[in-house]
Amino acid sequence: KQEVTQIPAALSVPEGENLVLNCSFTDSAIYNLQWFRQDPGKGLTSLLLIQSSQREQTSGRLNASLDKSSGRSTLYIAASQPGDSATYLCAVIEAGTALIFGKGTTLSVSS
Amino acid sequence: SQTIHQWPATLVQPVGSPLSLECTVEGTSNPNLYWYRQAAGRGLQLLFYSVGIGQISSEVPQNLSASRPQDRQFILSSKKLLLSDSGFYLCAGGLIGNTIYFGEGSWLTVV
């Protein structure tokens, strides 16, 4: 059974710092991996989708990498801002199933 | 791109009353559709997913049910709510191999 783990569970950084969020999964036979952001009391906003044949995706200050063989993905946030404060969720999808989520990393960026 | 509409946004229901949460999708046809629940301080739990009209897979045995009467409509129901049904319900949808989008969520409090 696929399990997704995110480390750390919480992270506090000063504004301007570069940071890395980690995601690991137990079964490398995934279809895609997707990173989401969730603000308190809100739905999920998709940040980046990495398909199984890809190794990374970039959007603005965000860069996500995928290493299927080792069961790992990282989300790199450059020059963090207070507006980046949120919970970041990693999810994998296997063929014929739905998204399987980690429990998230709650990020707090102080000004 | 796709948009997921979900309603109602908030509801307070007495124990034993029925429930109907509705989700519709704009911007794509034949999406996979999902219902997730997020309890306070916990991760996202997959409840149901659907790959087509009338095709529903249940992930967790409980007093909830789902239906897909039209291609872009997904309904979560209950005949009699329990206190443990309280939580944040999220509808999601997308094409296999592509980004999965989420609605803004529905807050359910059972009293």
Side-chain angles (χ1 to χ4, degrees):
Chain A
K1 181 183 173 184
Q2 179 76 264
E3 291 184 4
V4 180
T5 303
Q6 291 187 245
I7 294 173
L11 181 63
S12 292
V13 301
E15 182 176 7
E17 193 161 301
N18 302 326
L19 56 102
V20 174
L21 307 181
N22 296 292
C23 171
S24 62
F25 46 95
T26 53
D27 187 341
S28 63
I30 64 169
Y31 212 68
N32 292 333
L33 185 143
Q34 197 166 343
W35 282 93
F36 294 88
R37 167 186 173 138
Q38 186 176 29
D39 294 296
K42 301 292 186 181
L44 277 64
T45 299
S46 179
L47 297 174
L48 290 165
L49 169 73
I50 310 178
Q51 296 178 327
S52 61
S53 59
Q54 299 173 324
R55 292 194 63 86
E56 68 177 326
Q57 284 288 331
T58 298
S59 176
R61 294 183 294 108
L62 305 179
N63 175 276
S65 67
L66 173 63
D67 184 343
K68 278 183 57 179
S69 61
S70 66
R72 293 181 182 178
S73 176
T74 61
L75 179 66
Y76 175 82
I77 302 177
S80 58
Q81 303 170 357
D84 294 330
S85 298
T87 296
Y88 290 80
L89 294 155
C90 163
V92 300
I93 186 164
E94 301 169 319
T97 68
L99 289 164
I100 302 166
F101 283 87
K103 293 189 175 179
T105 295
T106 299
L107 172 66
S108 176
V109 182
S110 56
S111 57
Chain B
S1 66
Q2 287 174 221
T3 304
I4 308 291
H5 298 285
Q6 214 183 309
W7 69 93
T10 307
L11 65 165
V12 179
Q13 295 283 96
V15 170
S17 64
L19 171 73
S20 181
L21 299 179
E22 191 160 344
C23 171
T24 58
V25 180
E26 276 185 19
T28 190
S29 298
N30 293 324
N32 281 7
L33 296 174
Y34 312 92
W35 279 109
Y36 285 87
R37 177 169 61 200
Q38 190 174 37
R42 297 179 65 180
L44 280 149
Q45 179 187 33
L46 175 67
L47 301 175
F48 301 95
Y49 73 94
S50 172
V51 298
I53 295 173
Q55 300 178 63
I56 310 293
S57 295
S58 173
E59 291 294 306
V60 183
Q62 57 206 337
N63 68 322
L64 299 173
S65 63
S67 62
R68 185 170 178 174
Q70 299 179 41
D71 180 47
R72 289 178 284 182
Q73 184 185 26
F74 204 24
I75 299 170
L76 182 69
S77 303
S78 175
K79 292 182 179 178
K80 289 185 178 181
L81 284 168
L82 306 172
L83 285 173
S84 58
D85 292 323
S86 294
F88 189 44
Y89 289 81
L90 289 155
C91 178
L95 298 175
I96 280 293
N98 292 283
T99 299
I100 304 297
Y101 294 93
F102 278 76
E104 283 298 313
S106 297
W107 282 101
L108 170 65
T109 303
V110 183
V111 296

